[in-house]
Amino acid sequence: GSVTAMTVFFPLDTARLRLQVDEKRKSKTTPAVLLEIIKEEGLLAPYRGWFPVISSLCCSNFVYFYTFNSLKALWVKGQHSTTGKDLVLGVVAGVVNVLLTTPLWVVNTRLKLQGAKFRNEDIVPTNYKGIIDAFHQIMRDEGVLALWNGTFPSLLLVFNPAIQFMFYEGFKRKLLKKQLQLTSLDAFVIGAVAKAVATTVTYPLQTVQSILRFGRHRLNPENRTLGSLRNVLYLLQQRVRRFGLMGLYKGLEAKLLQTVLTAALMFLVYEKLAAATFTVMGLKHSRRH
């Protein structure tokens, strides 16, 4: 379900990334940005870098859930888990995931943006032949540590689910004061709203994360390539100075559309697959609200 949803709405992520990384690209509606990309770079341009992203997503999900369940088995040991324990385990699993999979996300960010028609002349173009070649060139030209560009904001973004969970529970308590239980629609709506709030709050960090992962900007007047964590505050300050506070939120519309629509399609695919599986197994698929 996750892979299907990511594939269908992949162009939204392309639009978001272009607006984050290319400072001089004018902020327009998401459809306008996508049409601009297609006109300049071809019909398949919004899907450039699809395979590396899907590969990274699968690896990232595996690392996260394997770490989470392994730690849970060691800590809980047959006892009932609590919300607090799950939250702590989620943060720890998130940190492990960031440290192990950041090189994959750095490479797929580079590949997604390769061949893009940038408005910013300070961006250094790349010429990678694929995932392996990208790893080789980055290590050769920029050093091994360049594969972990954007780690600091990524670690901070581990708290994104915690923010989402906090708002979800708050909305849930308010609804349960008016009704006995949540319906599936209620759960989806408050989940989508909570995710939208968490995304909006942390979006400036996501912008910095994308810029650092891409790593092909030159800092003026030093004319050197970004790559170290100390540039996070510099990037935030420069963004606000040049474009105002809203400069930190370029591409937010595409990100929110992608987040909500991906979640909706993911749950739809999940329900259909689950129903089909239960039918094949000869079991009744019960719905709980």
Side-chain angles (χ1 to χ4, degrees), residues 48-232:
R48 186 183 292 124
W50 172 83
F51 180 73
V53 170
I54 294 300
S55 302
S56 299
L57 181 65
C58 292
C59 291
S60 183
N61 285 340
F62 172 78
V63 171
Y64 179 86
F65 287 110
Y66 183 84
T67 304
F68 180 87
N69 288 302
S70 297
L71 292 174
K72 190 171 184 177
L74 289 173
W75 192 7
V76 178
K77 292 182 180 178
Q79 301 175 358
H80 289 293
S81 185
T82 64
T83 302
K85 286 183 178 180
D86 284 343
L87 195 59
V88 171
L89 290 173
V91 171
V92 174
V95 170
V96 172
N97 183 35
V98 166
L99 294 177
L100 291 181
T101 65
T102 289
L104 290 174
W105 292 109
V106 167
V107 166
N108 79 53
T109 299
R110 303 283 185 97
L111 292 173
K112 276 189 74 173
L113 292 169
Q114 182 164 277
K117 302 293 183 183
F118 292 112
R119 307 293 190 270
N120 189 350
E121 61 276 4
D122 290 328
I123 292 177
V124 183
T126 58
N127 184 26
Y128 304 129
K129 298 176 182 177
I131 297 175
I132 302 301
D133 185 54
F135 271 107
H136 173 70
Q137 285 196 43
I138 291 170
M139 288 188 290
R140 182 193 65 197
D141 300 335
E142 304 169 47
V144 175
L145 292 180
L147 291 171
W148 276 269
N149 280 353
T151 299
F152 181 65
S154 297
L155 289 173
L156 293 179
L157 286 168
V158 166
F159 292 98
N160 183 296
I163 296 171
Q164 179 186 354
F165 180 78
M166 179 181 70
F167 279 97
Y168 179 86
E169 288 298 315
F171 294 142
K172 181 179 174 181
R173 282 192 295 271
K174 287 189 176 182
L175 275 178
L176 289 178
K177 287 179 181 179
K178 301 176 182 178
Q179 57 195 61
L180 293 176
Q181 59 186 7
L182 293 179
T183 64
S184 297
L185 180 61
D186 288 333
F188 172 74
V189 170
I190 64 174
V193 172
K195 182 63 176 177
V197 172
T199 298
T200 303
V201 169
T202 59
Y203 193 76
L205 279 175
Q206 294 182 41
T207 298
V208 171
Q209 178 195 58
S210 296
I211 294 171
L212 286 173
R213 281 176 173 174
F214 183 48
R216 306 300 298 176
H217 292 77
R218 285 190 286 257
L219 285 177
N220 292 320
E222 297 93 343
N223 199 39
R224 58 191 176 85
T225 306
L226 282 173
S228 61
L229 298 179
R230 66 176 179 270
N231 290 316
V232 171

